Amino acid sequence: NYKVTVLGAGLAGCEAALWLAGKGVQVTLCEQKPTHFSPAHKSAGFAELICSNSLKAERLDSASGLLKEEMRRMGSQLLEAAEEARVAAGGALAVDRDAFSAAVTRRVEECPNITVVREQVEHIDESAPILVATGPLTDGALADEIGRLTGDERLHFYDAVAPIVTAESLDYNKVFAASRYDRGEADYLNCPFNKAEYEAFHAALASAERAPLHAFDAGAEQGAQPDPDAHGKKADTVTVYEGCMPIEIMAARGADTMRFGPLRPVGLVDPNTGHRPWANVQLRAENKERTLYNIVGFQTNLKWGEQKRVFSMIPGLENAEFVRYGVMHRNTFLDAPRVLDAGLFLKEHPNVFFAGQITGFEGYMESAACGLLAARSIYARLEGRQLPPPPVDTMCGALIQYLTTENKHFQPMGANMGILPPLPAESRPRDKRLRYMAVAERAVASFQQWLNETAL
Ligand code: FAD
């Protein structure tokens, strides 16, 4: 009779506990609520959605829809609970958050193989398989314990992150590949500004609308908000770490501040003019395949609509597709590429598995999907097997690959079409919708084959 402890009854923890229990495993599920709440959690129920109530798109030819299809095939119970709690939201799956949490809580509490323990866990007992799914707001003694196990004094956390765009949406008539002073490979893509373009961009950026700065604003649709404990009350008055200053704050300091900072044009020549640009934005590859780029130095707390409007003024980004907008908030996550095996356990402590946002899978459904993947990996271990990760042309497999590929600038990543390998040129529809559908169909076939072959 197998036994597993799961820490955290959030999205990942509940999904994992339910799946393992369905396999006959005796699960102890530890949850700190209601004796202790993070700054964002408010209710005693499980699988609490702390911000938006949207679980995003359902269409198969969208990244979130594809992820859901893969979850369904893994037997997701959270998706079933979401169906029960669904509210009308066009093509998206949105839920009544209380009904959703109640449906998940009921499933967990009614499950004979799950024992719920309401306590704040401070230590990790690695004498048997244990799953840590305590989310992005993990702190205190448990965070210190994870830090000790992973060799990180403090777990990664960031204050502001830059947006990410897809490579295929850039205008290569304007954007050029080069490193400053031709040093090394042409590692960066460059977006050159002339003086007039820069001045218009600066004016728009300095006056753009920022997201509200009071933390964990319950109703905020925007997603994550900054943590007041980390940095005080107002972004322009707080001390921000070097290299972490939101770009709009830098812009507000003066017309040329950015030109002497991340937008400096030195060491670059625009092949279209033969001259040094007036200012220059650099894009750095976010993945090995170079299908995604992040806008270097553009950590931001602008509202998402404003990011789209203002950052699309950067030459070459006029039609850029944003797969992630910049956000400011506290976010505890592992340095996954260094410490995590593709089986979602610590390379140095193989009994300690992780799931959810703390691994770098970003988003509600991504976290739940990660719970399913970790549960399968644990069960395979209990059966004396090692589960190969899903193929890289599936959404789950691409996310695992992203997590476990060396990356000095590792940041959490949500489902997006940009991380899937492109179709071969000869079978690549020009129409984006058809192309995404073809990529999704390839993913589903590949995922099903993985499920059949791994036969858990
Ligand atoms: P959680 O859902 O946070 O679950 C972790 C559980 O572990 C909680 O119930 C917690 O009480 C418990 N726990 C923590 N520590 C302990 C301990 N020591 N002992 C016992 N139990 C413990 N994603 C979106 O898709 N849309 C959004 O709108 C969105 N908004 C977000 C807003 C904020 C402020 C943050 C921080 C993140 C947001 N995310 C959003 C990202 C992410 O999807 C959610 O954080 C998601 O809830 C992560 O799921 P999880 O299962 O990893 O963790």
Side-chain angles (χ1 to χ4, degrees):
N1 213 341
Y2 300 137
K3 291 191 174 124
V4 170
T5 302
V6 176
L7 307 185
L11 294 147
C14 289
E15 191 78 280
L18 286 164
W19 191 87
L20 286 165
K23 296 303 264 181
V25 175
Q26 296 298 315
V27 179
T28 303
L29 177 60
C30 304
E31 168 55 52
Q32 66 182 5
K33 300 190 298 181
T35 47
H36 186 86
F37 285 91
S38 82
H41 288 87
K42 305 272 180 263
S43 88
F46 300 157
E48 181 180 349
L49 303 179
I50 54 178
C51 191
S52 165
N53 67 333
S54 172
L55 306 180
K56 304 203 184 132
E58 292 197 283
R59 294 187 331 263
L60 183 61
D61 61 353
S62 71
S64 311
L66 171 58
L67 180 72
K68 290 187 184 68
E69 183 56 32
E70 294 180 6
M71 291 172 69
R72 219 165 267 129
R73 286 168 189 256
M74 284 192 283
S76 166
Q77 295 222 28
L78 263 63
L79 272 180
E80 287 179 17
E83 283 299 334
E84 290 170 26
R86 178 191 272 277
V87 296
L93 174 57
V95 296
D96 172 320
R97 71 183 73 232
D98 295 329
F100 172 68
S101 171
V104 176
T105 307
R106 185 169 0 97
R107 280 165 192 260
V108 170
E109 285 179 342
E110 284 174 0
C111 181
N113 288 344
I114 302 179
T115 307
V116 174
V117 178
R118 298 268 190 176
E119 69 175 23
Q120 184 175 31
V121 176
E122 301 196 327
H123 300 294
I124 294 174
D125 175 2
E126 53 177 317
S127 60
I130 183 165
L131 177 62
V132 183
T134 45
L137 301 170
T138 302
D139 66 357
L142 186 64
D144 293 344
E145 176 93 335
I146 297 168
R148 267 194 300 279
L149 289 175
T150 55
D152 267 342
E153 293 256 308
R154 296 174 88 187
L155 291 176
H156 261 69
F157 67 84
Y158 59 81
D159 305 296
V161 280
I164 296 176
V165 294
T166 62
E168 66 170 14
S169 66
L170 304 174
D171 179 353
Y172 291 95
N173 291 322
K174 297 185 178 172
V175 168
F176 64 97
S179 281
R180 263 181 232 289
Y181 303 109
D182 286 330
R183 275 188 208 125
E185 304 276 307
D187 284 338
Y188 290 85
L189 294 180
N190 296 278
C191 309
F193 280 96
N194 64 32
K195 189 163 186 276
E197 287 165 343
Y198 177 78
E199 285 170 357
F201 174 69
H202 173 263
L205 182 54
S207 62
E209 203 181 340
R210 299 175 194 175
L213 283 170
H214 43 101
F216 305 119
D217 184 356
E221 278 296 300
Q222 170 99 2
Q225 300 298 329
D227 177 356
D229 302 338
H231 284 306
K233 308 119 240 149
K234 282 189 80 199
D236 10 14
T237 57
V238 298
T239 321
V240 275
Y241 293 125
E242 189 61 37
C244 233
M245 181 187 291
I247 192 76
E248 61 275 13
I249 292 177
M250 200 178 284
R253 291 194 171 173
D256 282 331
T257 313
M258 296 189 297
R259 275 195 344 111
F260 290 100
L263 274 70
R264 65 194 180 284
V266 293
L268 294 166
V269 175
D270 178 355
N272 278 330
T273 63
H275 297 296
R276 185 164 98 177
W278 180 253
N280 183 76
V281 167
Q282 291 203 302
L283 307 177
R284 182 174 49 227
E286 186 65 26
N287 57 353
K288 250 193 180 150
E289 299 74 25
R290 294 178 173 261
T291 54
L292 300 176
Y293 279 85
N294 91 60
I295 314 180
V296 178
F298 273 62
Q299 304 84 260
T300 180
N301 191 39
L302 293 186
K303 288 193 161 175
W304 290 5
E306 289 287 85
Q307 291 186 36
K308 171 108 182 122
R309 179 178 71 82
V310 177
F311 299 160
S312 297
M313 294 170 73
I314 298 171
L317 265 60
E318 291 82 356
N319 296 308
E321 184 188 352
F322 288 80
V323 300
R324 188 179 75 192
Y325 287 103
V327 286
M328 275 185 79
H329 69 118
R330 188 178 90 204
N331 194 354
T332 301
F333 59 96
L334 302 174
D335 182 6
R338 189 173 60 81
V339 301
L340 207 60
D341 182 271
L344 295 169
F345 54 84
L346 293 181
K347 289 175 195 162
E348 303 286 323
H349 301 270
N351 267 348
V352 185
F353 291 76
F354 281 83
Q357 176 98 8
I358 197 167
T359 64
F361 266 60
E362 181 162 82
Y364 294 148
M365 286 294 95
E366 287 82 348
S367 294
C370 189
L372 288 166
L373 293 167
R376 285 177 172 266
S377 180
I378 292 173
Y379 190 70
R381 169 80 64 75
L382 294 169
E383 294 271 279
R385 297 164 47 190
Q386 174 140 9
L387 187 68
V392 295
D393 58 3
T394 66
M395 193 54 81
C396 286
L399 284 168
I400 295 263
Q401 158 146 304
Y402 175 77
L403 245 53
T404 51
T405 302
E406 193 186 330
N407 181 350
K408 275 195 297 211
H409 307 281
F410 179 72
Q411 294 285 351
M413 173 72 76
N416 71 83
M417 288 296 191
I419 53 170
L420 292 173
L423 296 164
E426 60 282 5
S427 59
R428 204 161 178 253
R430 299 197 75 168
D431 177 75
K432 188 166 139 188
R433 205 74 189 263
L434 293 177
R435 198 162 66 241
Y436 281 1
M437 185 53 92
V439 168
E441 283 170 350
R442 177 185 65 179
V444 171
S446 199
F447 197 77
Q448 189 56 50
Q449 194 180 343
W450 175 75
L451 287 175
N452 297 346
E453 283 171 6
T454 52
L456 284 174

